[in-house]
Amino acid sequence: MINAKLAAKSHLNHQTIIKLTDKVAFGGEELVIIGGPCTVESPEQMEKVAQQLAVAPVQGLRGGVYKPRSSPYAFQGMGEEGLKILADVRSRYNVPVITEVMCISQIEIVATHADMLQVGSRNMQNFDLLKALGQAGKPILLKRGLAATIEELVMAAEYILSHGNPDVVLCERGIRSFDNYTRNVLDLGAVAALKQITHLPVIVDPSHAVGKRELVAPMAKAAVACGADGLIIECHPEPEKSVSDARQAISLEEMVNLVHSLKPIAAAVGRNISTTTGAGLEPTPIFCVA
Ligand code: PEP
Ligand code: MN
C-alpha cells in the first residue's frame, strides 16, 4: 500500500484533468502527443519542427535547453538562448512547449518561457527541486527515475503536490535492466498500475525507453493501447545529425505518420487523437498512413 495522501485515487473514476492550455489537457478523452528534438539546436531546427508537426498535429513541442548529459564534455544545452527559441515558436505557432528544468535556480526563467516543466529521470528524487516546483505555477512532467520503483515515482509526485502544485503528469520512460539491446526496458505494467493507483495523468516516452528509432512506433502504439494519456517522442528534421540521442530520433515525416497510425488504436480503447493543433489549424494529412 503506497502512502500517497494526495496522489492516490480515491475512487474508481477519480481522474485529474491537467490543462496545458485552453485547448490541450492531459487525462481526458483526447490524448496529448508531444514531439520535438532531444535538444534545441538552432532557430532553423525548431522552425522546421514546429512547421511540420503542426500538420500531424501534435499538441505540444519538446526540446531540451538545459541538458543532463552523462559526460561533462558533451553539449550541455543552449540555456537561455534556447528558451527564447522555444518561446518564439510557441507564440508564432500557438503551440505549448515543454522543457526540462535541472535545478531550483532555473525554475523562474523556464516557467516564464515554457508551458510545462519537465523533471528528468536523473532528478526524480531531487527532493529540494520537487519541493520548489510546488510553487512553480506551471504543470510538471515528472519522469520516472532510471531505476526508480513505482512507489518512488508516486512519492516523488507527492512531494510536488504536497508543496502546492496539483498539476503533475507522470511519465514512464523505461527503467534500467540487464539487457542493453534496448537502452532501457519500457515498463508498460507500470503505466497500467499507475492508472489504477493514482488519479494523475500518465504519459509514455518510448524514445528514451528503447533508444532505437525503429522501435519507437511499436512501443508508442502499445502505450496507447494500455491506457497512456499521451506520448512524448523525440523527432528531428535530420535525425542522424541530432546533437544528442540521435540513435532514437525519428524523422518529422515518421512522426506525422505515427500520429495518424495511432488513431485506430486510440479509438479501440475509447480515446481519440485531436485533429487540431494548439492553434486550432485544420491539419492536412499529406503523408500516407502506414
Ligand atoms: C530527455 O527528455 O531528453 C531526457 C533527458 O529524458 P530522461 O530524463 O527520461 O532521460
Ligand atoms: Mn533525449
Side-chain angles (χ1 to χ4, degrees):
M1 187 60 188
I2 299 176
N3 186 21
K5 295 193 174 89
L6 301 170
K9 240 185 170 71
S10 61
H11 56 274
L12 205 59
N13 296 325
H14 185 191
Q15 172 65 55
T16 286
I17 308 283
I18 297 180
K19 277 178 93 167
L20 187 52
T21 68
D22 285 345
K23 296 197 182 91
V24 179
F26 294 90
E29 210 175 289
E30 281 192 354
L31 302 180
V32 177
I33 316 284
I34 301 159
C38 181
T39 301
V40 173
E41 298 166 16
S42 67
E44 295 76 25
Q45 173 217 30
M46 286 312 295
E47 186 69 28
K48 284 182 193 153
V49 170
Q51 206 172 53
Q52 277 201 254
L53 296 192
V55 301
V58 295
Q59 288 71 51
L61 293 181
R62 63 151 288 150
V65 301
Y66 297 110
K67 295 300 302 177
R69 306 303 301 280
S70 300
S71 164
Y73 309 117
F75 182 57
Q76 304 286 304
M78 292 183 80
E80 225 174 300
E81 203 188 331
L83 283 177
K84 291 198 179 109
I85 296 172
L86 285 176
D88 178 57
V89 290
R90 171 184 187 272
S91 65
R92 284 186 299 103
Y93 287 88
N94 197 17
V95 61
V97 298
I98 292 100
T99 195
E100 179 162 355
V101 59
M102 294 207 303
C103 57
I104 295 174
S105 61
Q106 292 165 358
I107 295 177
E108 197 178 329
I109 186 144
V110 173
T112 58
H113 290 78
D115 300 279
M116 184 176 218
L117 280 48
Q118 172 176 320
V119 177
S121 290
R122 291 151 192 84
N123 266 321
M124 190 204 81
Q125 286 190 318
N126 181 339
F127 298 117
D128 283 343
L129 177 63
L130 301 179
K131 288 179 194 171
L133 288 167
Q135 298 299 310
K138 288 277 162 97
I140 308 299
L141 180 61
L142 179 64
K143 297 186 98 177
R144 184 178 182 181
L146 305 173
T149 64
I150 292 172
E151 179 166 2
E152 286 165 342
L153 172 58
V154 173
M155 293 314 285
E158 192 78 11
Y159 263 92
I160 305 172
L161 299 172
S162 64
H163 282 77
N165 189 343
D167 296 334
V168 180
V169 175
L170 304 174
C171 180
E172 161 59 33
R173 47 76 73 204
I175 45 172
R176 284 265 168 91
S177 188
F178 58 88
D179 190 343
N180 61 5
Y181 181 80
T182 53
R183 185 176 179 180
N184 292 292
V185 173
L186 182 58
D187 186 3
L188 291 179
V191 177
L194 287 165
K195 292 291 298 177
Q196 291 178 14
I197 297 166
T198 88
H199 56 89
L200 301 173
V202 181
I203 71 166
V204 168
D205 172 348
S207 308
H208 290 86
V210 295
K212 291 180 173 170
R213 67 175 62 86
E214 63 275 21
L215 299 176
V216 169
M219 290 301 96
K221 292 173 186 169
V224 170
C226 83
D229 295 298
L231 295 165
I232 180 163
I233 296 176
E234 287 188 346
C235 50
H236 191 283
E238 295 176 282
E240 298 79 10
K241 293 189 184 160
S242 305
V243 303
S244 58
D245 288 347
R247 184 63 185 90
Q248 70 199 33
I250 61 173
S251 69
L252 300 177
E253 292 80 2
E254 284 166 339
M255 182 70 186
V256 175
N257 281 337
L258 174 56
V259 173
H260 286 290
S261 70
L262 292 171
K263 285 179 188 168
I265 298 160
V269 291
R271 311 297 286 271
N272 60 66
I273 310 259
S274 175
T275 53
T276 55
T277 61
L281 299 169
E282 274 308 312
T284 356
I286 44 176
F287 302 100
C288 43
V289 178

